[in-house]
């Protein structure tokens, strides 16, 4: 990942407004004593723009942060358990600020899972059937139902030999990375972002600024640009 500073965000949003012919409007200039307030609006809405784009961007454009479940010595916390039939259940800690999955891989599989099935979906319900549910060579990850933060996941399934020799349940997880939710802080000078999504974030932030000022002349243009992602 990289970082986007609040100073850079202010500069780039103002550049967008200039290009749209809007930065000369009285609402965006010192004539109405709004120059400082515009900068404040940009800073305060930057985390919202980052979260919005990270939620909807294609997963191949995302850069997640690796998360380590509790082991002897150091830990990030969370809980992990493995059932006798190979179902791996895990939940990151409450302070993990989980926003969106980027990658998951079990220790006994070469396949990286980048999306989680809804528990109540047809494919999600199939995982309750031991004959047709996912296995190490075609794994499935299910997010348990409910707007719970952090979420609980179930992975289907580990090999019997893996279950027998695991030791700690957390040893079953080889890779778990996700995008973290960002929150505004008055003292923050920058926020982490996926490097390929910087312009999308700036365009979304520009749309938010225009929405704040009830200016709809180009608002949809910037939201539309923000949701046009690179291949």
């Amino acid at each position: 990942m990289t970082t986007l500073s609040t100073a850079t965000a202010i500069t780039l949003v103002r550049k967008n407004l200039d290009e749209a012919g809007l930065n000369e409007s009285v609402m965006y200039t010192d004539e109405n004593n709004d120059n400082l307030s515009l900068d404040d609006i940009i800073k305060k809405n930057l985390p919202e723009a980052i979260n919005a784009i990270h939620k909807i961007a294609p997963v191949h454009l995302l850069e997640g942060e690796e998360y380590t479940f509790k082991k002897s010595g150091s830990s990030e916390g969370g809980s992990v358990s493995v059932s006798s039939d190979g179902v791996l259940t895990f939940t990151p800690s409450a302070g993990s600020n989980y926003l969106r999955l980027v990658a998951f891989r079990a220790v006994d599989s070469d396949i990286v899972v980048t999306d989680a099935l809804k528990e109540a979906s047809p494919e999600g319900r199939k995982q309750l059937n031991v004959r047709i549910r996912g296995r190490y060579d075609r794994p499935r990850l299910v997010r348990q139902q409910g707007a719970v933060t952090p979420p609980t996941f179930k992975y289907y399934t580990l090999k019997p030999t893996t279950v027998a020799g695991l030791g700690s349940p957390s040893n079953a997880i080889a890779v778990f990375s996700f995008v973290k939710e960002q929150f505004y802080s008055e003292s923050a000078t920058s926020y982490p972002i996926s490097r390929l999504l910087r312009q999308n974030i700036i365009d979304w932030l520009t749309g938010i600024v225009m929405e704040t000022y009830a200016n709809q002349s180009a608002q949809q243009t910037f939201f539309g640009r923000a949701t046009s992602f690179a291949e």
Side-chain angles (χ1 to χ4, degrees):
M1 299 189 81
T2 187
T3 58
L4 176 59
S5 71
T6 54
T8 298
I10 289 169
T11 298
L12 294 177
V13 169
R14 284 186 170 276
K15 181 174 180 287
N16 272 353
L17 295 172
D18 281 336
E19 290 175 352
L22 297 168
N23 215 9
E24 296 177 359
S25 169
V26 66
M27 73 172 71
Y28 299 121
T29 65
D30 285 324
E31 293 178 41
N32 200 35
N33 264 333
D34 277 343
N35 197 43
L36 181 59
S37 64
L38 171 58
D39 289 355
D40 285 342
I41 288 169
I42 293 171
K43 288 192 290 186
K44 289 178 179 178
N45 285 283
L46 177 55
E48 178 185 336
I50 292 171
N51 293 336
I53 292 300
H54 277 136
K55 281 181 180 179
I56 63 175
V59 71
H60 70 273
L61 298 178
L62 299 177
E63 295 175 80
E65 297 185 39
E66 290 286 337
Y67 184 88
T68 304
F69 282 90
K70 189 171 184 177
K71 297 181 180 180
S72 58
S74 60
S75 70
E76 289 191 69
S79 63
V80 188
S81 63
V82 177
S83 66
S84 59
D85 60 347
V87 180
L88 169 64
T89 304
F90 59 95
T91 309
S93 67
S96 62
N97 296 332
Y98 177 94
L99 181 71
R100 183 179 173 188
L101 176 72
V102 174
F104 177 86
R105 183 174 66 82
V107 70
D108 61 358
S109 178
D110 294 327
I111 298 175
V112 175
V113 180
T114 60
D115 63 331
L117 302 167
K118 294 179 180 179
E119 187 177 26
S121 68
E123 189 65 23
R125 290 195 296 270
K126 283 182 183 178
Q127 307 315 308
L128 300 177
N129 187 321
V130 295
R131 293 184 176 84
I132 61 174
R133 70 187 183 187
R135 59 187 192 184
Y136 75 95
D137 57 348
R138 48 173 181 80
R140 297 290 184 269
L141 189 64
V142 174
R143 177 172 175 162
Q144 288 196 317
Q145 201 71 15
V148 180
T149 303
T152 293
F153 297 95
K154 286 184 177 292
Y155 172 84
Y156 297 86
T157 52
L158 300 170
K159 298 177 183 178
T161 52
T162 301
V163 176
L166 264 183
S168 170
S170 59
N171 292 333
I173 300 174
V175 175
F176 179 47
S177 68
F178 55 84
V179 175
K180 291 186 176 182
E181 184 175 6
Q182 300 302 311
F183 300 93
Y184 172 72
S185 169
E186 191 174 351
S187 62
T189 58
S190 64
Y191 297 89
I193 64 167
S194 299
R195 65 190 71 242
L196 294 177
L197 296 176
R198 190 175 83 152
Q199 189 58 49
N200 301 82
I201 291 166
I202 293 299
D203 288 339
W204 191 272
L205 183 54
T206 304
I208 292 175
V209 169
M210 298 178 70
E211 192 172 59
T212 301
Y213 282 103
N215 187 319
Q216 298 180 357
S217 61
Q219 173 189 342
Q220 293 306 316
T221 298
F222 285 106
F223 282 137
R225 278 171 44 173
T227 55
S228 178
F229 297 102
E231 293 297 328

